[in-house]
Amino acid sequence: MPSIEKPPIQHPGLRRNSLGLTIHDYEGSMSTLCAGCGHDSVTAAIVHALWEMETPPHRIAKLSGIGCSAKTTAYFARGAHGFNTAHGRMATIATGAAAANRDLLYIGISGDGDSLSIGLGHLAHLIRRNVRMVYIIENNGVYGLTKGQFSPSADVGSTTKRGDPNQVPPIDPMSLGLSLGATFLARGFSGDKRQLVPIIKAAAAHRGLALIDVISPCVTFNDHEGSTKSYLFTRHHDTTATESDFVPPAPEIVASIPVEGVVSVTMHDGSVLRVRSVPDDYDPTDREGVAEHLRRAHAAGDVVTGLLYIDESSADLHEMHDTTDQPLRDIPFSQLCPGSAVLAGFGVR
Amino acid sequence: MKATDTGDPAYFHRVVDCQWACPAHTDVPEYIRLIAQGRFTDAYMVNRESNVFPAILGRTCDRPCEPACRRERVDGTPVAICRLKRVAADHRDDIGERLPAIPRTKNGRRIACVGAGPASLTVANDLLPLGYEVAMFEQHATPGGLMRTNIPSFRLPSRVLDEEVDVILDMGVDIRYDSPVTSMRALLDTGYDAVFIGSGAPRGKELDLPGRHDTDRIHVGIDWLQSIAFGHVDTVGERVLIIGVGNTAMDCCRSSLRLGGTDIRVMARRPRPFFKASSWELDDAEEEGVHIMVNHAPKRFVVEGGRLVGMEFERLEWDENARTSSVIDTVLLPCDDVILAIGQDNAFPWIERDLGMNFDGDVPVVDKTTMQSSLPNVFFGGDSAFGPKNIIWAVEQAHQAAISIHNLCQGLAVDERPPVLMNLMSKAMGLGQWSYHNDYNPAHRQKMTHVELTNRFRALDIEVELGFTAEQTAREVQRCLNCDIETVFSAPLCIECDACIDVCPVQCLTITADGTETDVRARLSAPAVNPAQSLFASSALPQTGRLMIKDEDLCVHCGLCAERCPTAAWDMQKFTLLLPTAGLAVPMGAH
Ligand SMILES: Cc1cc2nc3c(=O)[nH]c(=O)nc-3n(C[C@H](O)[C@H](O)[C@H](O)COP(=O)(O)OP(=O)(O)OC[C@H]3O[C@@H](n4cnc5c(N)ncnc54)[C@H](O)[C@@H]3O)c2cc1C
Ligand SMILES: Cc1ncc(C[n+]2csc(CCOP(=O)(O)OP(=O)(O)O)c2C)c(N)n1
Ligand code: SF4
Ligand code: SF4
Ligand code: SF4
Ligand SMILES: [Mg+2]
C-alpha cells in the first residue's frame, strides 16, 4: 500500500487542456497493485491519452471483470462512470451498456485470464457484434491476482517462477480477433508509452470494437528468466509492425497526401490515423496478410507490436441493428415502453 | 549526457535550495523537522553550528534562503524559514551544556579582533574552543556592532541580542570596550599571531547638495540610528524626509514614527521594482503609514535663516528599464528633518598605508575564499571585507577567516581548505514506510502577527512581530518539502518498468535515449521550465541503455518514486552536509 495519496500539486508549469483540466484530473485513486506492475503503466498511458483527447470524464464509462488488471479502472478518470462486473463478464455488461447509451466512450480493462479463460465466449461475441468500445487486455501470461498460475496466453515452454514449463498451447487474442472479424487490432507493451498512447487514442476514435493486447509484465510472478512475458524478454523480442500517429479532428487535414509506406485512415469522427509500415510489405488492411505475418512471427518467437489491423468501414452494433440514434435514456418513457395496447397490436396481423 | 556525479557533495547540496542559498549553509530542513517534533533546543543548536546567532537572525536575517525555497516554485510562497528559526530560539532551553568546552590550557596563540560585531564574535566563537586567546577591541562601550547600534530594538530587542552575544563573550573573550584601534602599526607591533579586522563599513554616504551644511537638521542615517540606540536622540520633527529606499531607510522611517514624526516620506529616485529594500521591510513600513514617493531626485536643501524648511526634488520620468530619465518639473516638499540613507562606505583611516598591505583605492585587497589580506597574518570579514552586506554573510566570512587563522597558526597553507563532505542515510523503514513525514501538506504560508498599530509606537523598543503561535508553527513546519531527503538512484537495479515515472506527482522523471543536454531537455515528461535547476542523468540502464533523467526543479520529495520502485533503484536518503569549521569537520546537525 502506498503511504500517501498522490499529492494534488497544482504547480505553475502544469498544462491544461481545452477543458481546463490537468493530467491529474484524469487520474484515479492510488494504485494498490505491486510496485512495478505493468498494469500501472497502462493506466498511465490511458490517463495521458484521455487528457490529450480532452474527453470530459463524465462522458467515459469504465468497465472490468476480476483480476489485478480489473482493479485498474479505479486508478484513472475518477470522474467517470464505472462497472466492475463478475469474472469474465465485462464483455456482456459492456454490450448492454453500449446498446443502451451510444454516447459514452466505453473503456474496458481485462486480463488474459479474464478474457481468454472464463470470459472467452463473451469476448468472441463482443468481437462479432463489433461493439463500439476500447477493450484492453493487460496480458501478463498469468493469473496475477490468484498468485501466478499460467493463463491461456502463456507460451509453450515459458516457465513458472519455480521453473515448471507450460505445456498447453496459447491463445493469441490478435489471431483470434482476425478470425472473428475484428475491425481494430493492436498490440502494445506497457513499457512503451510512445507507441501505446496514440494507439489508445485511435482506438477511442474507432467505430466498432478496438481490441488492444498490451504485454504488461507481472513483476511479482512472471518477470523472471524463464518467462516470455517479462520486461526483458519483451524488449528483446519486440518487432514493430507499424508505427502510428494519431491526428485529432481538424478543419484541414493533410491526410490525403500519400506518403510511401503510410496508410492514412480517416476515422469516424474526422480524425486521422497514420500508420507507417515498418516491414515495407506489411499492410494493416489486409486481414489474410496480417494473419500470416502473425503466424510466422509467433513461430520465430517474436512479439509483433503496433497497430496490426484496421477496418474502419464495417458496420458496428448500432448500424447492424439499425437502432435509434438517441441514447435510450433520452427517449421518453411513454415511447420506450408504449404499453400493452401497442404490444397487443403487434400480435394481430 | 554525462552521468551526474552524485559523489560530489555539491550535487545533493544544490537540491536543498535553502541550504545552498544560505551563505552559512544552515541545515534548514533538518531544523524544521526538529521543530515539528517539538525539539526546539536541538533545532536551535543545528542553527547555531552554522549561523551562530539564531535568535537574532530569526528576526533580522536577510533570508536569501526564502526566495530560493522550492515551495515558492511549487505553490507560490516560500516556507517561512526565518520566522521558524525564531520559533526554535524563542522556545529553546538553556544551551550551556551543549556549548563546546573551552580548554583551560591555552594553545599559546593570541588573536586580536578589531570590533565586536557579528564577524569578530564569530571568529571568537570558532577559535576559543581550540585553545586560542582572543582579544577584542571595540570603540564603543557595548558589543554587537550594527546589530546594536543600527538595527532598531523594535525589530531586535536588546535582550535577544545580549543573550547570544554574551554566550560568546562568556567563552572567555578578552573584550576591551572603549578601545578604538587608532593605529594598525601599533596593533601589529603588539605581537599577535593573527589580526582579524571586523570593523564594519562605518561611514554613511553623504549627499553634497546646496544647503547640506547650513543646518543641523540633516542627519546621516546610520549615525542617527546609532544616536537613537545610545539614547542621545529621542525626538524628531513632525515632517521627516528619508532619502534613499534601502533597508536603512526603512529603519529610519519607522524610527521617526516612534520619535514623534507624523508625516514621514521615503524619497526614491527610481520606480518600485528597482528599490533596494527587501519586500517585507517595505510592507512593514507601509503598514505603519509611511509614504514612499517614487521618481523624486534630490536637488537642494532649502534653508531659510538657518532653519531647514524643505527640500527640492526633480520629478523624473523613466524609460521602461529605468535606465534613462527626463525631468518633468521641480517640487518643494516642506520638512523639519532630513535623513540620508543612501548607503555606506568602508573607511580605514587607522590603517597606515605603508605597512605592506595592498589597497585597491580605499579598500584593502582581500582573498574571497581565505579572507586573507596581503599581509599574511591579517584577515578581514563582514562589512569591512567587501563593503556593507548583512549579518549572515559576516558570520560566514568569519567562519572562513577562522579556518584560515587556524591553518596559519598550525603552519598549514591558508588556501588548503578542509574538504566539504557528506553523509547519506536511507530513510526507508519498511514497505511504504519512511522515517520522515513524506505527505504533501497544501497549507498556505502563515502570516506573522504584528502588535496593533495603536500600541506599537508607545515606546521605541516594542517588538513589532509577535512570533508564530503554536498552531501557526504546526502548520508552517509541514510546508517544508524535506529537500534534504534526497532521491538516490542506482542504475544497475532499474528494470525500466516506468512505475516511478508514472507515479511522480510533478512529472519530474523521464527515461529516454541518450543525447546532448538540450536534446534530452526537449524530451522530458514535463518541460523543464527552470534551467537554473539541475538535471540528473544516470549511467546507461541495463535493459535498453537509455538514461534515467530527473529534473530537480519541482520534486516535492514525496518518496513515491522510491515507494513504487520494485527493485529499490530509487531510495530516499537523508543528505547531511559535513561543513568544515576551524579545527575539524563537524557534521552539521550532529547532536
Ligand atoms: C540600519 C541598518 C539596518 C540593518 N539591518 C540588518 C538586518 O535586518 N539584517 C541583517 O542581516 N543585516 C542588517 N544590517 C547590516 C548588518 O548590521 C551588518 O552587515 C553587520 O552588522 C556587519 O557585521 P560586522 O561584524 O562586519 O560589522 P559591524 O556590525 O559594523 O561591527 C563593527 C564593529 O567594529 C567597531 N569598530 C569599527 N572600527 C573600529 C576601530 N577602529 N576600533 C575599534 N572598534 C571599531 C564598531 O564600533 C562595531 O561595533 C543593517 C545595517 C544597517 C546600517
Ligand atoms: C468466477 C470466478 N472464478 C475464478 C475466480 C478467481 N480469479 C480471480 S482473478 C482470476 C484470474 C485473473 O487473471 P487475469 O485476468 O490474467 O488478471 P491479472 O490478475 O493477471 O491481471 C481468477 C481465476 C473468480 N474471482 N471468479
Ligand atoms: S500480482 Fe502481478 S499482475 Fe498483480 S499487481 Fe502484482 S505484479 Fe501486477
Ligand atoms: S520524490 Fe520522487 S515521486 Fe516524489 S516528486 Fe520527487 S521524483 Fe517525483
Ligand atoms: S520504478 Fe524502479 S525499476 Fe521501475 S523504472 Fe523506476 S527506477 Fe527503474
Ligand atoms: Mg493476467
Side-chain angles (χ1 to χ4, degrees):
Chain A
M1 276 295 278
S3 63
I4 54 170
E5 283 291 311
K6 195 161 175 169
I9 297 168
Q10 304 282 334
H11 62 84
L14 203 56
R15 287 178 297 161
R16 293 178 183 276
N17 64 17
S18 69
L19 301 176
L21 301 180
T22 71
I23 192 130
H24 297 314
D25 297 317
Y26 288 90
E27 290 170 349
S29 56
M30 257 332 238
S31 168
T32 56
L33 301 183
C34 305
C37 178
H39 299 356
D40 281 336
S41 284
V42 181
T43 300
I46 295 170
V47 167
H48 265 91
L50 291 174
W51 178 71
E52 284 175 12
M53 290 188 297
E54 319 196 315
T55 314
H58 68 279
R59 307 302 300 160
I60 301 167
K62 311 175 288 186
L63 300 113
S64 64
I66 301 289
C68 296
S69 37
K71 289 172 70 177
T72 65
T73 48
Y75 310 145
F76 63 87
R78 63 169 73 75
H81 309 277
F83 200 139
N84 277 99
T85 74
H87 199 22
R89 266 56 176 183
M90 182 260 279
T92 60
I93 303 290
T95 307
N101 186 344
R102 57 189 302 163
D103 274 3
L104 298 182
L105 168 60
Y106 293 93
I107 302 179
I109 309 289
S110 183
D112 40 331
D114 193 57
S115 281
L116 305 179
S117 289
I118 191 168
L120 186 63
H122 299 304
L123 172 62
H125 295 289
L126 183 81
I127 296 172
R128 288 179 57 243
R129 289 179 175 132
N130 204 19
V131 176
R132 190 170 174 198
M133 74 179 294
V134 179
Y135 190 112
I136 295 177
I137 300 177
E138 296 179 346
N139 188 346
N140 54 17
V142 288
Y143 298 166
L145 192 72
T146 54
K147 297 207 176 306
Q149 303 83 352
F150 285 126
S151 82
S153 73
D155 289 312
V156 172
S158 185
T159 71
T160 61
K161 225 175 169 178
R162 273 172 43 206
D164 308 325
N166 170 44
Q167 299 175 350
V168 190
I171 300 173
D172 169 21
M174 297 291 96
S175 305
L176 181 77
L178 284 171
S179 71
L180 293 173
T183 54
F184 183 113
L185 294 165
R187 179 146 49 216
F189 167 42
S190 67
D192 186 354
K193 286 193 203 67
R194 257 213 320 216
Q195 180 186 56
L196 188 53
V197 171
I199 288 178
I200 295 174
K201 291 201 273 186
H206 175 63
R207 185 184 56 161
L209 178 76
L211 184 61
I212 312 175
D213 179 31
V214 185
I215 308 301
S216 173
C218 170
V219 75
T220 301
F221 299 110
N222 207 14
D223 193 39
H224 48 82
E225 268 178 21
S227 164
T228 59
K229 296 269 189 297
S230 67
Y231 283 108
L232 192 61
F233 185 95
T234 310
R235 289 203 163 99
H236 283 176
H237 294 82
D238 186 335
T239 54
T240 310
T242 62
E243 285 169 354
S244 24
D245 182 13
F246 181 76
V247 188
E252 3 159 16
I253 283 182
V254 279
S256 46
I257 306 167
V259 182
E260 205 166 338
V262 174
V263 178
S264 285
V265 186
T266 305
M267 313 292 285
H268 164 77
D269 62 357
S271 53
V272 171
L273 179 61
R274 291 206 197 99
V275 187
R276 191 176 77 83
S277 300
V278 174
D280 287 348
D281 55 349
Y282 190 91
D283 178 0
T285 58
D286 170 11
R287 192 178 292 272
E288 288 315 311
V290 172
E292 180 53 29
H293 187 90
L294 292 183
R295 264 195 297 279
R296 267 188 276 124
H298 182 73
D302 289 342
V303 183
V304 184
T305 61
L307 187 278
L308 301 181
Y309 178 75
I310 184 158
D311 161 16
E312 193 63 9
S313 60
S314 293
D316 76 341
L317 174 85
H318 289 286
E319 283 168 289
M320 283 182 217
H321 298 287
D322 195 17
T323 60
T324 164
D325 287 345
Q326 282 169 292
L328 301 190
R329 60 116 215 259
D330 292 346
I331 300 174
F333 185 75
S334 56
Q335 212 175 320
L336 263 185
C337 194
S340 41
V342 178
L343 275 179
F346 284 128
V348 202
R349 185 106 350 143
Chain B
M1 270 183 87
K2 238 184 88 201
T4 304
D5 176 15
T6 53
D8 176 354
Y11 183 79
F12 287 134
H13 184 186
R14 196 183 279 266
V15 172
V16 194
D17 292 289
C18 48
Q19 192 181 18
W20 181 257
C22 173
H25 304 312
T26 300
D27 192 347
V28 174
E30 177 70 11
Y31 85 66
I32 293 183
R33 275 191 303 274
L34 290 169
I35 294 173
Q37 295 164 22
R39 292 166 61 187
F40 301 114
T41 316
D42 290 334
Y44 181 85
M45 291 311 289
V46 167
N47 270 286
R48 195 181 185 286
E49 272 156 28
S50 58
N51 60 46
V52 187
F53 304 106
I56 296 171
L57 289 165
R59 293 166 164 83
T60 62
C61 192
D62 245 4
R63 25 179 159 149
C65 53
E66 291 195 13
C69 174
R70 178 179 305 264
R71 185 80 191 204
E72 158 120 36
R73 305 196 292 276
V74 171
D75 79 354
T77 47
V79 174
I81 298 170
C82 186
R83 284 349 182 214
L84 287 174
K85 197 188 305 295
R86 171 174 170 182
V87 169
D90 285 357
H91 299 280
R92 73 186 187 275
D93 297 325
D94 181 53
I95 58 158
E97 298 224 314
R98 299 173 181 238
L99 292 170
I102 306 299
R104 288 246 172 98
T105 329
K106 301 300 171 189
N107 69 6
R109 303 295 187 157
R110 295 163 57 243
I111 313 299
C113 291
V114 181
S120 290
L121 289 166
T122 299
V123 168
N125 175 74
D126 288 5
L127 293 182
L128 287 167
L130 303 175
Y132 288 86
E133 287 171 75
V134 178
M136 198 175 281
F137 299 89
E138 168 57 52
Q139 64 187 6
H140 296 309
T142 43
L146 290 179
M147 301 191 299
R148 183 178 308 275
T149 61
N150 265 241
I151 301 184
S153 47
F154 58 83
R155 285 206 291 127
L156 176 61
S158 47
R159 175 190 53 81
V160 175
L161 175 63
D162 288 341
E163 276 174 5
E164 290 193 322
V165 169
D166 286 349
V167 162
I168 297 171
L169 295 180
D170 292 347
M171 287 177 173
V173 176
D174 174 10
I175 177 92
R176 322 264 179 93
Y177 293 123
D178 300 313
S179 308
V181 175
T182 51
S183 162
M184 183 70 183
R185 172 169 284 116
L187 184 63
L188 288 172
D189 286 348
T190 341
Y192 286 98
D193 291 289
V195 175
F196 176 79
I197 298 179
S199 56
R203 188 170 290 168
K205 285 204 170 113
E206 263 303 341
L207 185 61
D208 268 321
L209 293 177
R212 166 65 182 93
H213 301 289
D214 303 344
T215 161
D216 59 359
R217 303 296 292 263
I218 301 169
H219 320 276
V220 173
I222 63 164
D223 300 340
W224 186 69
L225 287 170
Q226 177 175 310
S227 304
I228 298 172
F230 288 152
H232 306 323
V233 165
D234 55 8
T235 57
V236 75
E238 284 190 359
R239 300 162 305 172
V240 185
L241 298 181
I242 319 284
I243 313 300
V245 69
N247 286 339
T248 302
M250 295 304 110
D251 283 339
C252 290
C253 65
R254 296 178 71 192
S255 295
S256 302
L257 283 168
R258 286 156 175 81
L259 297 183
T262 50
D263 177 5
I264 317 291
R265 291 161 197 261
V266 173
M267 310 304 299
R269 274 175 64 85
R270 308 176 80 205
R272 201 165 176 110
F274 302 91
F275 290 0
K276 272 198 180 151
S278 318
S279 60
W280 57 88
E281 302 244 2
L282 288 164
D283 292 346
D284 291 350
E286 290 190 307
E287 177 190 275
E288 296 185 352
V290 166
H291 301 286
I292 298 179
M293 305 188 64
V294 297
N295 305 344
H296 280 69
K299 193 164 175 224
R300 68 181 183 101
F301 301 96
V302 185
V303 183
E304 285 170 5
R307 205 173 69 86
L308 176 71
V309 294
M311 201 174 163
E312 228 174 67
F313 293 87
E314 286 176 343
R315 289 203 306 137
L316 305 180
E317 191 168 45
W318 291 91
D319 68 349
E320 209 178 319
N321 297 313
R323 283 216 195 83
T324 52
S325 61
S326 51
V327 177
I328 307 172
D329 55 12
T330 302
V331 291
L332 175 83
L333 293 180
C335 66
D336 304 312
D337 284 274
V338 172
I339 297 163
L340 305 178
I342 48 180
Q344 280 160 263
D345 280 328
N346 289 42
F348 301 96
W350 50 278
I351 302 183
E352 295 82 353
R353 300 299 145 105
D354 59 352
L355 295 170
M357 190 192 288
N358 292 342
F359 273 75
D360 181 1
D362 285 335
V363 289
V365 177
V366 177
D367 184 279
K368 287 221 150 52
T369 314
T370 64
M371 306 310 293
Q372 192 177 35
S373 74
S374 52
L375 283 184
N377 62 339
V378 178
F379 301 84
F380 285 77
D383 289 356
S384 73
F386 309 114
K389 255 196 176 135
N390 54 35
I391 302 169
I392 191 67
W393 270 111
V395 168
E396 173 55 16
Q397 291 168 354
H399 280 318
Q400 295 308 320
I403 290 173
S404 300
I405 291 171
H406 188 53
N407 274 12
L408 180 85
C409 291
Q410 285 188 311
L412 297 173
V414 293
D415 58 2
E416 217 173 276
R417 311 305 288 178
V420 175
L421 303 170
M422 68 169 169
N423 253 342
L424 286 171
M425 205 176 70
S426 178
K427 289 298 232 180
M429 299 224 297
L431 268 185
Q433 276 190 307
W434 303 102
S435 57
Y436 74 106
H437 203 284
N438 63 325
D439 204 357
Y440 175 84
N441 191 316
H444 292 296
R445 183 178 165 113
Q446 301 300 301
K447 204 172 155 3
M448 176 58 63
T449 1
H450 290 173
V451 172
E452 293 287 335
L453 278 170
T454 44
N455 289 329
R456 207 179 283 183
F457 308 121
R458 278 188 294 115
L460 196 59
D461 60 354
I462 294 177
E463 186 172 15
V464 171
E465 296 191 352
L466 293 174
F468 281 155
T469 62
E471 293 71 28
Q472 284 181 304
T473 302
R475 255 175 257 136
E476 193 62 33
V477 287
Q478 293 308 336
R479 298 185 68 238
C480 173
L481 297 169
N482 301 293
C483 302
D484 62 333
I485 313 292
E486 306 266 3
T487 54
V488 179
F489 187 69
S490 167
L493 295 179
C494 177
I495 58 169
E496 300 170 57
C497 69
D498 278 4
C500 53
I501 317 275
D502 297 338
V503 83
C504 177
V506 289
Q507 293 157 281
C508 60
L509 304 177
T510 308
I511 297 181
T512 190
D514 201 353
T516 63
E517 182 168 336
T518 340
D519 193 23
V520 166
R521 274 185 185 273
R523 283 186 258 131
L524 299 180
S525 305
V529 289
N530 189 351
Q533 285 283 317
S534 316
L535 214 55
F536 162 86
S538 73
S539 52
L541 300 178
Q543 291 200 4
T544 64
R546 295 180 299 169
L547 308 182
M548 174 69 79
I549 307 289
K550 180 185 177 204
D551 178 5
E552 297 286 1
D553 188 21
L554 292 171
C555 170
V556 292
H557 297 259
C558 64
L560 283 175
C561 50
E563 216 166 290
R564 297 304 290 165
C565 176
T567 65
W570 283 113
D571 190 23
M572 303 307 291
Q573 300 185 2
K574 157 71 184 153
F575 161 79
T576 308
L577 185 67
L578 306 177
L579 265 189
T581 56
L584 70 168
V586 187
M588 300 191 58
H591 39 259

